Amino acid sequence: MIIRKMTEADLPQVCAIEKDCFSDPWSEESFAKSLQDKNNYYIVVEIDGEIVAYCGYWGIVDEGHIYNVAVKKEYRRQRIGYRMLKALLEEASGRGVDSFTLEVRASNQAAIGLYESLGFKPVGIRKDFYAKPREDAVIMWLESIQQFPL
Ligand SMILES: CC(C)(COP(=O)(O)OP(=O)(O)OC[C@H]1O[C@@H](n2cnc3c(N)ncnc32)[C@H](O)[C@@H]1OP(=O)(O)O)[C@@H](O)C(=O)NCCC(=O)NCCS
């Protein structure tokens, strides 16, 4: 298993996973724009040359916002999401990011469980944040990476 920085060449595979995972998927263009923003950092997980997972963060000063976390269906529950996010947090921490936040659908127990396993705590709700279907978002924070032994 290789964890590495995402490049534009990865986007067809990334977007195929994105479409399979989300009812309102990001387009290839949105990912391409994000990759060009120097405040963003995206990684992919590759197994035998195939991209099986990806995620990214937008960092500003010491705060990171995590986006687009997905693992291909056939590869779930193998700790890939955990190892990938751990690698993302380590990378961000190396650039001085200390606290992290993200939003997750209130019903998404798998993702909430994953984030909790990394030290994130639910701190609030954004009412009707998501469409297709409409649903609240749980706002989660990891207040300081120092509190979580990577
Ligand atoms: C959420 C997601 C990224 C988890 O990836 P994963 O590689 O399967 O997760 P891991 O195997 O690393 O699991 C780590 C921990 O998360 C929790 N978890 C993961 N999947 C879970 C599930 N289906 N039910 C309950 N807890 C779950 C568990 O605590 C797990 O630890 P354990 O295996 O020791 O019990 C994956 O299910 C996914 O891509 N879902 C669709 C896209 C999505 O919802 N993304 C998040 C948007 S905010």
Side-chain angles (χ1 to χ4, degrees):
M1 184 175 114
I2 297 168
I3 301 181
R4 62 167 174 80
K5 193 172 176 180
M6 186 189 288
T7 69
E8 273 206 53
D10 299 323
L11 293 184
Q13 284 190 77
V14 164
C15 288
I17 302 173
E18 174 86 5
K19 273 194 197 127
D20 209 33
C21 288
F22 301 107
S23 58
D24 200 4
W26 276 32
S27 64
E28 199 164 319
E29 200 189 2
S30 302
F31 274 104
K33 261 195 198 152
S34 283
L35 289 183
Q36 281 160 18
D37 179 340
K38 64 176 172 44
N39 292 318
N40 283 323
Y41 193 87
Y42 278 82
I43 58 175
V44 294
V45 177
E46 201 180 300
I47 295 178
D48 297 331
E50 180 192 1
I51 291 173
V52 302
Y54 59 89
C55 63
Y57 79 92
W58 178 78
I60 195 83
V61 195
D62 59 353
E63 203 175 286
H65 295 243
I66 293 180
Y67 294 106
N68 310 92
V69 177
V71 175
K72 210 169 173 172
K73 280 191 182 123
E74 312 85 280
Y75 290 88
R76 290 186 191 159
R77 291 317 289 264
Q78 297 176 41
R79 310 285 292 168
I80 290 174
Y82 179 86
R83 282 183 279 171
M84 168 173 78
L85 277 173
K86 195 166 166 281
L88 191 78
L89 296 179
E90 279 168 352
E91 204 284 332
S93 171
R95 290 168 183 242
V97 181
D98 186 48
S99 60
F100 293 87
T101 186
L102 53 82
E103 282 114 10
V104 54
R105 279 186 183 267
S107 66
N108 193 345
Q109 276 314 311
I112 291 171
L114 169 63
Y115 303 140
E116 283 180 337
S117 74
L118 285 152
F120 282 81
K121 304 238 181 309
V123 297
I125 296 286
R126 271 193 231 289
K127 196 86 191 123
D128 296 337
F129 182 73
Y130 293 105
K132 301 185 187 175
R134 181 182 295 194
E135 190 175 354
D136 296 347
V138 177
I139 305 164
M140 299 186 83
W141 273 93
L142 175 58
E143 280 202 12
S144 172
I145 192 108
Q146 310 304 331
Q147 291 164 3
F148 186 77
L150 288 169

